[in-house]
Amino acid sequence: MSLSKKIDFALIISVKNANPNGDPLNGNRPRADFAGFGEMTDVCLKRKIRDRLQDSGESIFVQSDEKKTDGMTSLANRAKDKTVGLGAEAFGKKADKDETAQQACKKWLDVRSFGQVFAFGKSDDGAGVSIAVRGPVTIQSAFSVEPVNITSMQITKSVSGEGDGSKRGSDTMGMKHRVDSGIYVAFGAMSPQLAERTEFSDEDAAKIKKVLSKLFEGDASSARPEGSMQVLKLIWWEHNCKAGQYSSAKVHGSLKVNADGSYKLEHLEGLTPEEIDGF
């Protein structure tokens, strides 16, 4: 049974002395737009959702390097492996693409949630393979409520990768960046119409709901020390039908978040949000 009702949600995220999402094309500085508002990309947020789902024992197709549990070196290997994936024949010239997509959705929660493009070049029988799955769960980039102050400092690395150790190499010095303090807001939605294609269910929605409130647990690093990032609130709107009582734009616009993390919800008749504390 696929998703029975439209769902909208919002995350209010606190950042303190952390780099929430570094930009590799800008020296790994925290992402910010030209007006100075901080940003966490949708790709970054979905990575954390996948990691938390995987931590809870769910089968995930797009695994991060440090969380690989099956020994596969690439997505193509994972998909084509008969033990952990669907087998190479599922991506061959004679394969039924619709059947392959259905099998992938059934096997991996992130595929039936966010969708996936299977584009592995040429298969074993010489055919080019491209299978697109459109997922029902969408999430926007998170933006800070106010412009953020980014602090940069030069650091001395404890280990140099150059030289024989008798003197400092050119890579001993480095830079570290952080957002001093900020409140970020992200919005997302779940579409019952698209859920019918991937068989994304109410149970799957509940699994994502459960991990959203603890998005940064187990995600600590030198750039994001333990406790420096937190989901303050998860706002969860469940409509009473598949089409939804209101558009997602109107629902998301009913939430107004302040720079201190407090917020106000505009009343929408017949639609009562659930307000869930973060961990």
Side-chain angles (χ1 to χ4, degrees), residues 110-130:
D110 59 330
V111 175
R112 65 178 179 269
S113 300
F114 304 121
Q116 182 67 34
V117 176
F118 297 92
F120 301 140
K122 290 188 176 181
S123 61
D124 294 338
D125 56 13
V129 177
S130 180

Side-chain angles (χ1 to χ4, degrees), residues 113-168:
S113 300
F114 304 121
Q116 182 67 34
V117 176
F118 297 92
F120 301 140
K122 290 188 176 181
S123 61
D124 294 338
D125 56 13
V129 177
S130 180
I131 301 173
V133 178
R134 187 179 176 188
V137 182
T138 55
I139 187 166
Q140 302 176 19
S141 294
F143 290 94
S144 62
V145 176
E146 291 186 343
V148 294
N149 182 49
I150 298 174
T151 297
S152 300
M153 66 182 76
Q154 193 169 36
I155 60 172
T156 303
K157 301 176 185 178
S158 58
V159 177
S160 172
E162 296 181 354
D164 58 6
S166 61
K167 59 181 181 179
R168 290 184 177 179

Side-chain angles (χ1 to χ4, degrees), residues 192-232:
Q193 290 78 14
L194 293 176
E196 292 177 358
R197 300 182 183 181
T198 67
E199 297 186 4
F200 179 85
S201 66
D202 290 335
E203 291 75 17
D204 293 331
K207 291 174 182 178
I208 292 179
K209 178 183 179 182
K210 185 176 181 180
V211 302
L212 282 174
S213 60
K214 52 182 180 181
L215 208 56
F216 304 104
E217 292 301 302
D219 188 56
S221 68
S222 61
R224 297 178 298 279
E226 198 74 67
S228 63
M229 296 190 63
Q230 179 188 12
V231 174
L232 298 178

